[in-house]
Each structure stands twice: as structure tokens, then as C-alpha cells.
Amino acid sequence: MTAQILTLEQFIQEHPLLYRKFCFWAGKRGVEDAPAEVRDYLTDLIVEASTAQDDSEVLVRWTARLSLQERNALAYLSRVPIGDSQFAKQWYGLENGEYSVADEPIVHEISHDGQPQGIVTRNRYDCLVLNCDSMMIVDVDICAPEHEETQDCARNSQVALSQKQAIAAVENLAEQFSHLGFRVYRTRNGLRHLCVTQPFDPQDTATHRLMANLYVDPLYARLCQFQATFRARLTPKPWRVDDEYRQKFIYDRITGAVIPESSRYAVCHLIEIIGEPEILPEFEPLVQIHDSYCRVSRLGLELA
């Protein structure tokens, strides 16, 4: 796609959400005129770049200046062969894995009163993923509720945590901060919390201190900060469903999205609402999309 980009404005039209994310990341670096700097490096690394020329000076200019988030996203778009250069080690800092948002196709955009709140993307193994700008999502790995032994913990769990202990952490936080409200969901290997009463910055250290109090999965927390977004998988992982499974979709008039029609699987079940129950108006479409895709009210379905 980048080979067909002729002008900077064409690139921005092709990638409007990514452009806004670039401006956000530049602003977090303290750049006074973030859009101007973003336009400068997009011009250098994409619009005017060519695989037929030596772009070492361009990489020298931007390697030390850009944040890891910006470099990572640009690596998928730039016509400069970054991976083959002497700057590759400085340019790359974290594997994307399933949490990559920069190179994922956008399936659905979510907004409230004309303001963007998030997007649904399709990840590398074909699952749909909700990406939220400010609605905090916390992913927690726990032991199977019917077993309390360490060996029953999810593979990536850092703490031998039971469901009761994980929920108690949410209750304690809601008692300390009465304005906070959480929707608690059971996933296949743990819990998912949606904080629906206050916006949070996914890159703020205060946000991550709060997430740590809820026993957040450390890898998930790190990648939320890296990608500057909170993420939640909406459809089953393909290796968790039987060979006969085929995801079918229908148009949902309430959310305006194309959601799963029917199957024996759900991604999570809503099990409890803790603290303030009222959802911020700007978060309501995000919650609707999440709950519709994940089929949270179908408690009889197998979690995948």
C-alpha cells in the first residue's frame, strides 16, 4: 500500500486513526506541535523514502527522537528497510504478538457524539479485538475456581490467584474510590474487568498502579502502555473451538456492528457489577459492542 502513496495527505486519508495515534504519541513525548513533527517524519520515512537510496541519515535523525510506539508502527509502513540497517536494534524494542494494533485491519469504528472512543480490529490469528482509548480494561489470570492449587493457574499467571481473591481486590478498590464502577467478566483463564465510570490514560503510571492492585497480567499491562490502548478479544481463539466451528455474523441494529450470530462458544460471561453501576455515556457504545460480540449473557456457552 505504501508504494502507492503519492502525498502526505493521501497517507493521512488512508490511515486517519493511525495518524491520530501518531499525534498522541508525539504529544506524550512533550512535542509542542505534535502534528507538525508527525508530518515531518511521515514525509521522511514514508512519502519521500525509497528502497533505492541510502536513508541512513533519515534513520539517524529519527531513531533517538521517536518513541518506541512510533517506531514500531512505522516499521510496518516505511519504505526504508529498517530491519536490514545498523539501527534495527534501537528501532525495535518489543514483539507485537497478539496485541499489535498498528498493522491490524479496522473492522468497526466506535464513537459517541462524534468523538472517537475506540475501534474493532482483526488480529493476526483472525480474532476480533476491541481497542479502547480511555475505557480501562484489566486482564487477570487466575486459578480455575474449582481448584486452588498453583499448578491449576493459567500458563502466564504470575500469582497463584483464586477468583475469590481477584474479585475481592476489585471490591476493595471500589470501597476506597466510591466513584469507580467495574463490570467483572469470567474468561476461560481468568477475569476481565471493565471500569466504566472514569476515563483512564493507558500510558499513565497512576493507571498502571491501579491495574497492578487488581493483579493485572503483567504482559497485558506492558502492551497496553506500549500500544497506548486497552484491548479485549471479542471472538474465540481458533485453537479453542472444534473443527466444525464456523463463525457466522449478523448485523446488530443496537450497536450498528456485525456480531456473531450463534455458536456454542462465548468469550466471557458477565458475573458481577461492583461499585458505581452507571456507565459513562461515552463508554456505553463500547460496552454494548463488547457484550454483544462476547455474548456475555449466554452463561451456558463454553468459554473460548
Side-chain angles (χ1 to χ4, degrees), residues 103-122:
D103 61 331
E104 292 176 352
I106 297 170
V107 176
H108 185 65
E109 299 181 25
I110 307 163
S111 61
H112 174 76
D113 284 345
Q115 296 299 314
Q117 298 296 326
I119 56 175
V120 175
T121 59
R122 188 177 297 278

Side-chain angles (χ1 to χ4, degrees), residues 25 36 71 105 117 121 128 146 150 155 164 183 284 288:
W25 286 327
R71 297 198 306 268
Q117 298 296 326
T121 59
L128 299 181
E146 66 272 21
T150 302
R155 183 177 61 181
K164 183 177 180 180
R183 295 171 65 84
E284 287 181 353
Q288 289 177 348

Side-chain angles (χ1 to χ4, degrees), residues 17-286:
L17 294 175
L18 183 57
Y19 173 71
R20 290 203 299 269
K21 191 70 75 176
F22 278 135
C23 291
F24 170 80
W25 286 327
K28 296 293 286 187
R29 288 191 282 112
V31 176
E32 186 173 345
D33 189 349
E37 175 153 315
V38 169
R39 287 170 175 265
D40 281 348
Y41 68 63
L42 290 179
T43 299
D44 285 349
L45 292 165
I46 295 178
V47 178
E48 295 182 355
S50 171
T51 55
Q53 66 187 35
D54 183 0
D55 285 303
S56 297
E57 292 185 5
V58 174
L59 294 177
V60 168
R61 178 186 178 190
W62 293 114
T63 296
R65 189 161 185 173
L66 298 183
S67 67
L68 182 57
Q69 292 92 344
E70 291 166 291
R71 297 198 306 268
N72 183 74
L74 286 165
Y76 292 94
L77 300 167
S78 178
R79 295 162 68 189
V80 178
I82 297 170
D84 298 329
S85 74
Q86 60 181 306
F87 304 99
K89 288 186 178 180
Q90 298 103 304
W91 199 270
Y92 300 102
L94 180 68
E95 290 294 329
N96 276 329
E98 67 182 80
Y99 294 96
S100 171
V101 67
D103 61 331
E104 292 176 352
I106 297 170
V107 176
H108 185 65
E109 299 181 25
I110 307 163
S111 61
H112 174 76
D113 284 345
Q115 296 299 314
Q117 298 296 326
I119 56 175
V120 175
T121 59
R122 188 177 297 278
N123 72 7
R124 63 184 172 86
Y125 51 81
D126 211 30
C127 284
L128 299 181
V129 180
L130 175 65
N131 305 267
C132 300
D133 293 337
S134 59
M135 186 180 76
M136 185 173 68
I137 302 171
V138 181
D139 183 22
V140 181
D141 289 331
I142 65 172
C143 298
E146 66 272 21
H147 302 293
E148 299 295 338
E149 300 299 326
T150 302
Q151 61 263 31
D152 293 313
C153 288
R155 183 177 61 181
N156 294 326
S157 181
Q158 303 295 308
V159 178
L161 190 69
S162 70
Q163 179 170 310
K164 183 177 180 180
Q165 290 171 315
I167 292 179
V170 183
E171 293 172 338
N172 290 337
L173 198 63
E175 288 180 4
Q176 295 179 53
F177 305 98
S178 59
H179 65 286
L180 293 182
F182 296 86
R183 295 171 65 84
V184 179
Y185 302 82
R186 181 71 170 96
T187 63
R188 181 184 174 100
N189 286 329
L191 297 176
R192 174 182 295 174
H193 309 317
L194 271 56
C195 186
V196 296
T197 57
Q198 175 186 323
F200 287 89
D201 180 350
Q203 293 189 310
D204 193 285
T205 54
T207 298
H208 287 268
R209 284 197 298 269
L210 187 149
M211 294 171 72
N213 287 335
L214 297 174
Y215 300 103
V216 66
D217 170 26
L219 175 60
Y220 171 80
R222 182 186 178 198
L223 292 171
C224 282
Q225 189 171 38
F226 174 76
Q227 296 285 4
T229 186
F230 301 106
R231 288 179 47 102
R233 181 172 51 83
L234 300 176
T235 53
K237 290 184 176 180
W239 55 88
R240 290 180 177 171
V241 299
D242 58 49
D243 293 337
E244 301 298 320
Y245 170 80
R246 292 291 184 273
Q247 190 79 289
K248 297 180 180 180
F249 296 91
I250 59 171
Y251 177 76
D252 183 78
R253 294 183 179 181
I254 296 177
T255 63
V258 178
I259 64 174
E261 178 183 22
S262 63
S263 75
R264 52 181 281 205
Y265 302 103
V267 172
C268 57
H269 296 148
L270 178 64
I271 59 174
E272 195 166 353
I273 296 176
I274 299 175
E276 172 59 47
E278 187 171 350
I279 302 172
L280 284 181
E282 59 266 37
F283 289 169
E284 287 181 353
L286 296 172

